[in-house]
Amino acid sequence: VGEFSLIQRYFERPAKSRQDKHTALSIGDDAAVVRVPHNHQLVLTIDTLVEGRHFPVATDPRCIAYKSLAVNVSDLAAMAATPAWFLLSLTLPDVDDDFLSRFSAGLFEAADEFGIHLIGGDTCKGPLSISIQATGYVPMNGYITRANARIGDRIFVSGNIGTAALGLAVIEGKLEIDSELKKLSVQALNQPRPRIDMIPLLRQFASAAIDLSDGLIGDLQHILEQSGVGATLDQSRLPVLDIIREQDLYPLALNGGDDYQILFTVRESEVEAVAKFSVTENIDITEIGVICETGYTMQTSSELIDLSQQRGFDHFVEG
Ligand code: ADP
Ligand code: MG
């Protein structure tokens, strides 16, 4: 198959499922055309996943595709942007029908789940690599940045953390756990669920937000640096699996990446309201610390640890 029929076969969907009131022109022309909702701003992001770097060589193509889209949508959610469109740049070593059918199934499974539409892309030959550019929208100036945390704000995180890193440790043979927990943690690693359900809460209550891709310590550090503040975390409050708490595997939750939960801050005066909102809307969030003037520490059961010198995952430092 040539490039053209490859795109048609695997990435163009029947007209009905392509219909989207915000898309004027989709795959098939020189470029796509979108309609920006009235009084909104566009929010744009891009992420690349490279074989052997972001996923092991033998990873199920369905998971590769799902995760490639999930990490982009997670960035949009962290900005409080509603996902709308994405472009897919695919570099393939060859045209492998089995790979492409599974890749395309995972991609559209994710796209349907997140309510985002594939409207174009590019395809070329080379070592396997997937770039996805995703665009969302926010009501005018309704986006949330990393830069607006203030002294006294409380620090919250969605879901639980360290689960994906637990899955990775198991795959790498560094840990043995029971099969149910293994399934759950490997699933968290391979099929992260970006927290689009958090968007209304963030728009209403967050002063700053970031999605957790490189580990809690490093990602919170970004908020602290950009907001010019410090923080103290309370280890006993971290939402982690029992196994992490019981076996003291906290580094998985603190330094492990790939959680794709949302870390955010809330003004002290809004804490009660956010707690109420999370109950009525059934959104799992946990308060884990407080923003202070300077310093970056975590209280454990026995000591106050300095986090300021610990770093998150950095491809160019550790790789
Ligand atoms: P051009 O040479 O003008 O860049 P292409 O042949 O690359 O055109 O693409 C033709 C059409 O197919 C365009 O609408 C483009 O957005 C779309 N397309 C190409 N590759 C992909 C892909 N991997 N996924 C989705 N759409 C794609
Ligand atoms: Mg092209």
Side-chain angles (χ1 to χ4, degrees):
V1 286
E3 183 193 339
F4 218 68
S5 55
L6 181 155
I7 296 161
Q8 277 188 328
R9 184 177 310 174
Y10 299 105
F11 299 110
E12 254 195 277
R13 303 177 92 184
K16 190 166 167 287
S17 58
R18 273 197 281 121
Q19 261 170 29
D20 157 27
K21 63 180 191 297
H22 298 314
T23 304
L25 191 62
S26 188
I27 295 175
D29 217 301
D30 292 315
V33 181
V34 300
R35 297 187 186 93
V36 183
H38 182 62
N39 259 329
H40 284 67
Q41 286 163 314
L42 296 183
V43 178
L44 299 89
T45 187
I46 184 165
D47 261 304
T48 299
L49 276 77
V50 175
E51 184 173 52
R53 181 82 237 182
H54 301 94
F55 54 88
V57 174
T59 306
D60 182 348
R62 207 183 124 258
C63 295
I64 300 173
Y66 189 99
K67 189 163 180 172
S68 302
L69 186 54
V71 301
N72 277 283
V73 169
S74 179
D75 280 323
L76 293 179
M79 302 295 293
T82 305
W85 315 276
F86 71 102
L87 303 169
L88 167 69
S89 177
L90 198 53
T91 306
L92 297 167
D94 47 37
V95 177
D96 173 341
D97 178 64
D98 182 53
F99 178 92
L100 281 164
S101 347
R102 291 204 267 161
F103 184 90
S104 134
L107 187 75
F108 289 117
E109 181 192 345
D112 290 343
E113 197 176 315
F114 312 149
I116 191 166
H117 301 271
L118 177 63
I119 56 168
D122 192 31
T123 311
C124 70
K125 196 176 161 95
L128 181 60
S129 154
I130 299 106
S131 276
I132 288 182
Q133 187 284 321
T135 301
Y137 53 85
V138 286
M140 196 59 71
N141 299 326
Y143 54 93
I144 309 293
T145 69
R146 302 173 175 182
N148 195 28
R150 268 197 240 143
I151 299 166
D153 284 5
R154 304 296 173 79
I155 303 166
F156 284 82
V157 68
S158 66
N160 60 47
I161 54 175
T163 310
L166 180 68
L168 184 63
V170 171
I171 286 179
E172 289 179 339
K174 294 177 182 162
L175 257 179
E176 272 195 43
I177 56 178
D178 71 68
S179 63
E180 191 149 316
L181 205 51
K182 177 174 175 180
K183 199 174 150 207
L184 180 147
S185 58
V186 171
Q187 167 101 359
L189 178 72
N190 284 335
Q191 213 171 334
R193 296 246 136 68
R195 298 301 303 261
I196 44 180
D197 61 324
M198 290 280 297
I199 294 169
L201 184 149
L202 293 172
R203 280 194 193 153
Q204 206 169 329
F205 299 106
S207 51
I210 187 169
D211 72 317
L212 292 179
S213 54
D214 300 332
L216 175 65
I217 292 180
D219 287 331
L220 177 55
Q221 182 93 275
H222 294 308
I223 288 186
L224 303 184
E225 276 166 11
Q226 295 200 29
S227 298
V229 292
T232 301
L233 295 175
D234 182 346
Q235 182 174 271
S236 69
R237 288 185 177 225
L238 297 181
V240 295
L241 295 173
D242 289 341
I243 183 176
I244 292 180
R245 195 175 301 286
E246 286 156 10
Q247 299 188 23
D248 200 8
L249 300 172
Y250 281 104
L252 294 176
L254 294 168
N255 306 106
D258 279 334
D259 282 316
Y260 299 102
Q261 294 295 336
I262 309 253
L263 181 72
F264 62 104
T265 57
V266 172
R267 302 278 184 249
E268 197 182 356
S269 58
E270 305 257 63
V271 166
E272 222 169 285
V274 85
K276 232 184 221 165
F277 186 94
S278 72
V279 171
T280 50
E281 300 297 312
N282 196 20
I283 294 173
D284 51 335
I285 58 169
T286 310
E287 189 180 328
I288 60 169
V290 63
I291 297 291
C292 52
E293 195 177 344
T294 55
Y296 185 18
T297 55
M298 181 175 71
Q299 183 69 51
T300 72
S301 54
S302 55
E303 57 181 334
L304 191 67
I305 302 176
D306 180 18
L307 301 177
S308 62
Q309 298 312 312
Q310 297 190 26
R311 297 259 117 199
F313 182 75
D314 185 324
H315 286 284
F316 292 100
V317 175
E318 293 173 43

